[in-house]
Amino acid sequence: MTERTPLLNYRLVASVNESDQRSPPSSQAPEELPGSPRHRSSPQRQPKKLSVFFGVVVPTLLSMFSVVVFLRIGFLVGHAGLYQGIAMFMVAYFIISMTVLSVCAISTNGALDAGGAYYMISRALGPEFGGSIGLMFFLANVCGSALYVLGLVEAILGTFGVPEDPSVVPSSQQILPSGYWWSLLYATGVLLVCLLVCLVGAHIYAKATFVIFLVVIIVLIMIFISFFVVHPQIITLPSTSSFNPSINGTGIPTTANFTGLKLETLLGNLKAGYTVDYTTGKMMSFATVFAVMFNGCTGIMAGSNMSGDLKNPSYSIPRGTITAVIFTYIIYNLLSLLVACSCDRVLLQRDYGFLGDINIWHPFVIIGVYSSTISAAMSNLIGASRILYALARDDLFGNVLCLAKKTSHSGNPWVSVLMSWFLVQLVLFSGKLNTIASIVTIFFLLVYAAVDLACLALEWASAPNFRPTFRYFTWHTCMLGIIGCAIMMFLINAIYASASIAFMLLLLLLIHYLSPTSSWGYISQALIFHQVRKYLLMLDVRKDHIKFWRPQILLMVSNPRSSVGLITFINDIKKSGLYVLGHVQLGDLSTLPSDPLQAQYDSWLSLVDHLNIKAFVNLTLADSVRHGVQHLLFISGLGGMRPNTLVLGFYDDCLPKDKLIESSKSSTESTDPFSSSQDIEQPALYRFASLRGSSDRHDYGEFGDGKVLDPQEYVSIISDAMKMLKNVVLARYFNDFDRAQVLSPPSSLAKGDVFVDVWPVNLLRPDSCSYVDTCSLFLLQLACILNMVKAWRKATLRLFLCVEEGRSVRGSEAKLGQLLKDLRIKAQVNTVPWDQVVALHWQRQGGFSKNPKSQSPDSTDEMEARAIEEESEEDYVNSFPSNATRVSDDYLTAVNKLILDQAMPPPAVRFLYLPRPPADTRRYATYLHQLDLLTQDLGPILLIHGVTPVITTDL
C-alpha cells in the first residue's frame, strides 16, 4: 500500500486482508522495491491485535501515574500548597487537553502506521518538521524512561538503602549500599529488566502492563482507604533530610505528624511554602515544582506510540487517551485534597515516600511505586524504539539509522530497542530525578506544541480531505495549546527551551538538505495555495498604475534544449514579475487517446529547477502554433497576474544546438565518470524531443526544414500579440549565450567591462528619429531593469544617439541626457553620425520617383501596395510606415555595419527597436527579411516593441 493509495481503498483492502491472513502464501509477501527509500512495503507482520484498553488506556494510565502519584504528590502539596497544586493540575491538564483534541483529530483523519505522534506530525507538516520533532520526541521518551528508572531507584534506596549518614543506625531491612555509583548500578539493572521485556515484543509488554495495572489500581484503592482508616501518628523523617535546615530555622526536625482528616491541617496546607528540596539541595519555586509535576501528564502519548501495534488506531487512540486523561485528573485532585487534609507540611516537604508510612500495610505503596514506575520506564523505552524505527524506515537521516530498520520475525524492531536502551543508559549518569525533569518536560511540551501546530495547519489549509471523524476541536483549541506549551516551556527553563528550539531548527535544516523528496504531501503547499488565492482575489487590475508596472513575460519555447541561454537571460529581466514558459504542441485532442501534455509537465518543472529560475510552465495543444500562442496569451496567468510581454525566438535558418544535454552530461560525468548510462536513472531533462537537424531525428517538419511554422505565421503571431496590446520581444543569437561567461569574461580586469547597448530609434524609418515614443521608452525601461539585477549591476548601459550633419548634436544629446536624468537611468550617451547610411535610404527614395519602370517586379508590387498603406497609416499607431517598404537591402546592410562598428568593446547584449508589422499581410515576408538583414551577426540581440506606457517621472 503506497502513500498515494486512497484511504477508502486502504480500509477495504485491510478488512479483506485481515480475514485472509490465516494462511498467506509466502510467494505473495510484498518485497521492498529498490530505489524507493520512502516505500512502506515490508514483510508480512503479525496482525495488529491490541485493543483500546490494552493498547491505549493501560499504557497511558501507567505512564501518567508512575512517579508523581506515589513519590511527588507530597512534594507538590508541601511546596506549592493545595491552591497552587490544583492550579498546576488545571494548567497542565488544560495544555494536554488541547493537545489531546489535536491528537484525536489527526488520528481519526486517516490510517495510522507505526510512530505515533511522529507519524502524525511528519505526514501533516512534511518530512523536515516531522523528522526534527520526531527526533526530539524520541529523545524525550529516552529521557523520560531514564527519569522513571531513577525514580524507582530512589524509592528502592529509600526503603532498603543504608543511610548515608554514618551516625544513623540502619534498620534490619536497610541492607543495600548507597551512593552515586551504587544508584547507577541499580538503575542499570532495572533498565536491563525493561530491555528484556521490550525485546520479546509488544504483546508480552501489553500482558505485563496489564498485570502491573491491576496491582497499581489495588494499591491506589488501599491508599484512599488508608486516609480514612489509619489513626493519627508520628512519622520518623528520612535521615537525609537532617542535612538541610528546617523552614523556620528553629532546628532540624526528625519527626512529622500524620493527623488524619482535620480542618486545621487543611488550612495549614492551603498556601504555598517553597523551601529547599532535601534530595537536591536546591530552592524550589513554582516553575521547578510544576516541571516535576508535569511529568505525570506527559504519558498521554503512550497509547499513540503503540499505533503500529493497535487493531484500529483511529478508533482506539481518541477513546483510550481521553479516558486515561479524565481518570488521572480526578485521581490526582482527590489525592492532593486528602494529603492536604491529613499530613503535616513538614512531613510533605521532608519525606516524599510518606504514603508507605501511613498505609494499612506498608509494602503496598512500595509495590505500587515499583510496579508503576517500571511500567512507565518500559512504556517510554518501547515508545522510543517505535519512533526510532519509524524514523529509520522513512530514511530521513540517510544511512545513519539503517540498522534500526531490522526487525524480528514477529515484527519487533529489536535493533531500535537496543539503540534506545543504550541512550537511556547514558542519561542515567545524571543521577538525580529532579535534574532531568525540566529537560524531559520541555521536550514533551515541544512535541505537544508541534502536534497542535500540525492540526492547526491542517485546519487553516481548509483541505477537503481533512475531515476527521473527531470534531470536538477548532483552530482556537490548537492555538491555545501552542501558546500554553510555549509559555510553560520558558517558565520552566528559558535556557533549555531556547536550546531545544534551536536544536529543532538545526535538525529541520539538516533534514531539508539531506532527505530525499517524500510523497507524503506538504502542508506548506496547501497553506500557500490558500493564501495565494486570497491575495490574488485582492489584486485588482483596475487599480494598476504605471508607477508599479513590472514586466510579466510569456516566453515561447519550441524546444528547451536549444533555449537554455534565452530562458536564463529572460529570467533576469522579469524584475520580480510573472514569468511563464509557454510551449505549443501540435495536435488534435479529439484524435488522441489522452492528453499528451500531462506527461510532459514533470520534465518542464525539472527544467525550471535545473536552471534555478522562478518561472511557471504553461503548455497547450493546438492545430497551429499561431492558435496555440493565442491560447496562451488569453489564458496564461490568473487575476491581476497576466503576461503583458511576449518573447519569441527569432525566425532564421540557424541550426539549434543542444545546450541542455551538454550541461547535464558534464554534471553527470563530474559526479561519476565511470558509471554506465544504464546505471544512472535518466533525469526528466533528457525527455524533451530531439532538435531539428540532429542525427536521431528523421522528420523534416511541415515545411521541409524541420520547422513547424512558416514566416507568414511567425509574423502573424507578432501582429496578434500587438493587437492584444502585448509588448513583443524577438530574441536572436541566444543559442550560445552563457550568462556566467558573459558576466565574468576571462580577459576582464577592470570594472565596467560588460556593456549593454541600446538603440532606441526605429532604424527601419530613418526619417523619424524620435527617442521619446512609447516603444523607445519601453526599450530604455527593459535595459534599466536588466541593469538593476544584481548580476548585471556592474554592466554599463550605452545609449546610441543617431545624428546627421546640420542638426544640433549638443542640443539632441543634452535633451536625451535630461530625459535619462528625469527617468533615473544611468547610461553613457554616444552620438553616432549616420549621414552616409541615411543617404542610401534617400537615394532609394529618389530612384522610385525618377525611373519607376526600371524597378524589378517586386518593387512594382511594393509601389502598388504603398497607396493602401498610406491610407491606413493613421489607423495603426507606430505601424510599419509606407517608406519603410522602400528600405533597400544596401541601407539595411549599412545600418548593420554601423551597429557593428560601434561595438568597441563588444556588448553582452543589444536592445533594438522593433517596428510594428505591416498592415498588409502580403508584406510579412519582406518585413521578416528586413529584420534579418538588420540584425545579421550582431550577437545576442533583443528586438523590442512596446505598446503600453511603462515609465513615469512622478513620485
Side-chain angles (χ1 to χ4, degrees), residues 354-556:
F354 72 97
L355 287 177
D357 297 328
I358 66 173
N359 202 272
I360 297 174
W361 186 49
H362 297 327
F364 256 134
V365 174
I366 297 174
I367 294 172
V369 169
Y370 295 172
S371 302
S372 64
T373 311
I374 198 170
S375 171
M378 282 192 297
S379 175
N380 278 265
L381 180 60
I382 199 169
S385 67
R386 285 345 186 231
I387 297 167
L388 184 63
Y389 175 60
L391 285 167
R393 285 208 300 173
D394 286 339
D395 281 334
L396 294 182
F397 298 93
N399 296 325
V400 177
L401 300 178
C402 61
L403 291 176
K405 297 180 187 178
K406 294 186 178 181
T407 60
S408 63
H409 293 293
S410 63
N412 185 34
W414 60 274
V415 177
S416 297
V417 173
L418 287 175
M419 294 173 71
S420 304
W421 163 80
F422 178 74
L423 292 177
V424 174
Q425 183 65 54
L426 293 180
V427 178
L428 290 179
F429 283 94
S430 62
K432 289 292 183 180
L433 185 66
N434 292 352
T435 306
I436 60 175
S438 298
I439 301 174
V440 174
T441 304
I442 287 172
F443 275 17
F444 275 106
L445 281 170
L446 192 61
V447 173
Y448 296 165
V451 173
D452 290 321
L453 179 62
C455 190
L456 177 68
L458 290 170
E459 180 72 7
W460 274 357
S462 301
N465 281 325
F466 182 64
R467 43 179 185 271
T469 55
F470 183 88
R471 294 302 306 168
Y472 301 103
F473 78 100
T474 65
W475 69 267
H476 303 87
T477 60
C478 302
M479 186 64 75
L480 286 173
I482 295 172
I483 295 173
C485 290
I487 292 174
M488 294 314 303
M489 281 171 59
F490 284 92
L491 280 180
I492 291 170
N493 194 312
I495 297 177
Y496 287 167
S498 302
S500 61
I501 293 174
F503 181 56
M504 180 197 71
L505 295 176
L506 182 64
L507 288 173
L508 191 147
L509 293 175
L510 183 68
I511 297 172
H512 176 73
Y513 287 107
L514 295 182
S515 67
T517 303
S518 75
S519 59
W520 307 337
Y522 291 83
I523 190 65
S524 59
Q525 296 298 305
L527 292 172
I528 290 170
F529 176 88
H530 189 267
Q531 294 300 312
V532 167
R533 181 193 63 86
K534 181 173 70 174
Y535 288 121
L536 273 176
L537 291 172
M538 297 170 61
L539 190 60
D540 192 346
V541 294
R542 295 168 295 182
K543 297 179 182 179
D544 282 347
H545 194 276
I546 189 175
K547 286 192 299 185
F548 307 110
W549 180 90
R550 65 182 72 239
Q552 305 199 71
I553 298 171
L554 171 63
L555 171 62
M556 297 305 303

Side-chain angles (χ1 to χ4, degrees), residues 745-759:
S747 59
S748 297
L749 298 175
K751 179 181 177 182
D753 280 336
V754 179
F755 293 95
V756 176
D757 288 1
V758 182
W759 295 77

Side-chain angles (χ1 to χ4, degrees), residues 754-769:
V754 179
F755 293 95
V756 176
D757 288 1
V758 182
W759 295 77
V761 63
N762 187 352
L763 296 174
L764 295 189
R765 189 173 178 179
D767 56 332
S768 176
C769 298

Side-chain angles (χ1 to χ4, degrees), residues 15-172:
S15 62
V16 173
N17 289 345
E18 286 172 5
S19 61
D20 295 340
Q21 278 180 349
R22 298 174 184 175
S23 58
S26 59
S27 61
Q28 294 181 0
E31 296 180 359
E32 189 170 350
L33 296 176
S36 306
R38 302 298 174 109
H39 195 67
R40 282 298 196 159
S41 295
S42 58
Q44 187 71 34
R45 305 298 188 203
Q46 267 192 340
K48 302 171 183 178
K49 292 182 179 179
L50 298 184
S51 62
V52 179
F53 184 75
F54 289 100
V56 182
V57 175
V58 171
T60 306
L61 279 176
L62 290 177
S63 293
M64 298 182 75
F65 274 147
S66 64
V67 179
V68 175
V69 70
F70 295 116
L71 297 180
R72 289 298 181 261
I73 283 293
F75 168 81
L76 171 70
V77 178
H79 287 284
L82 183 62
Y83 287 158
Q84 288 192 18
I86 293 177
M88 286 182 185
F89 280 121
M90 291 179 64
V91 171
Y93 273 82
F94 175 79
I95 293 173
I96 68 168
S97 296
M98 298 299 102
T99 304
V100 166
L101 296 180
S102 300
V103 169
C104 294
I106 298 177
S107 63
T108 58
N109 188 53
L112 281 181
D113 204 345
Y118 158 71
Y119 190 85
M120 300 178 195
I121 296 170
S122 62
R123 268 48 178 185
L125 298 182
E128 295 89 354
F129 207 95
S132 57
I133 288 294
L135 188 59
M136 302 282 289
F137 193 32
F138 165 71
L139 295 176
N141 277 273
V142 167
C143 293
S145 181
L147 178 76
Y148 296 128
V149 170
L150 289 173
L152 177 58
V153 171
E154 182 180 318
I156 292 174
L157 291 179
T159 305
F160 301 104
V162 175
E164 295 184 15
D165 185 3
S167 61
V168 179
V169 180
S171 63
S172 59

Side-chain angles (χ1 to χ4, degrees), residues 13 20 25 28 63 167 185 252 280 330 376 382 633 729 771 795 811 847 882:
V13 173
D20 295 340
Q28 294 181 0
S63 293
S167 61
L185 178 62
I252 300 175
T280 61
I330 294 173
I382 199 169
L633 285 174
V729 178
Y771 289 88
S882 58

Side-chain angles (χ1 to χ4, degrees), residues 784-907:
C784 180
I785 288 173
L786 180 65
N787 199 208
M788 294 169 67
V789 177
K790 184 178 181 181
W792 292 84
R793 200 164 291 165
K794 294 183 179 180
T796 303
L797 293 184
R798 295 190 301 195
L799 190 61
F800 291 94
L801 177 63
C802 297
V803 297
E804 301 178 35
E805 291 182 0
R807 295 194 179 185
S808 174
V809 177
R810 292 185 179 179
S812 300
E813 189 173 354
K815 288 181 180 179
L816 187 58
Q818 184 60 39
L819 174 65
L820 294 175
K821 184 179 180 181
D822 293 340
L823 298 178
R824 289 90 62 203
I825 297 176
K826 185 179 180 181
Q828 293 179 4
V829 178
N830 299 327
T831 57
V832 180
W834 69 333
D835 299 76
Q836 296 179 356
V837 176
V838 175
L840 293 174
H841 171 69
W842 292 116
Q843 288 174 10
R844 171 82 174 189
Q845 298 273 19
F848 268 92
S849 59
K850 290 179 181 179
N851 189 15
K853 292 183 181 180
S854 64
Q855 302 300 321
S856 65
D858 291 340
S859 300
T860 305
D861 293 338
E862 294 173 2
M863 292 178 64
E864 291 173 356
R866 180 176 58 187
I868 301 174
E869 295 195 9
E870 287 175 346
E871 291 176 2
S872 60
E873 183 176 355
E874 294 181 358
D875 299 332
Y876 293 88
V877 180
N878 285 335
S879 66
F880 193 88
S882 58
N883 62 354
T885 60
R886 310 178 207 167
V887 172
S888 65
D889 291 354
D890 293 338
Y891 165 75
L892 292 171
T893 304
V895 172
N896 177 266
K897 186 176 183 302
L898 176 71
I899 296 174
L900 281 173
D901 291 342
Q902 306 302 318
M904 294 302 294

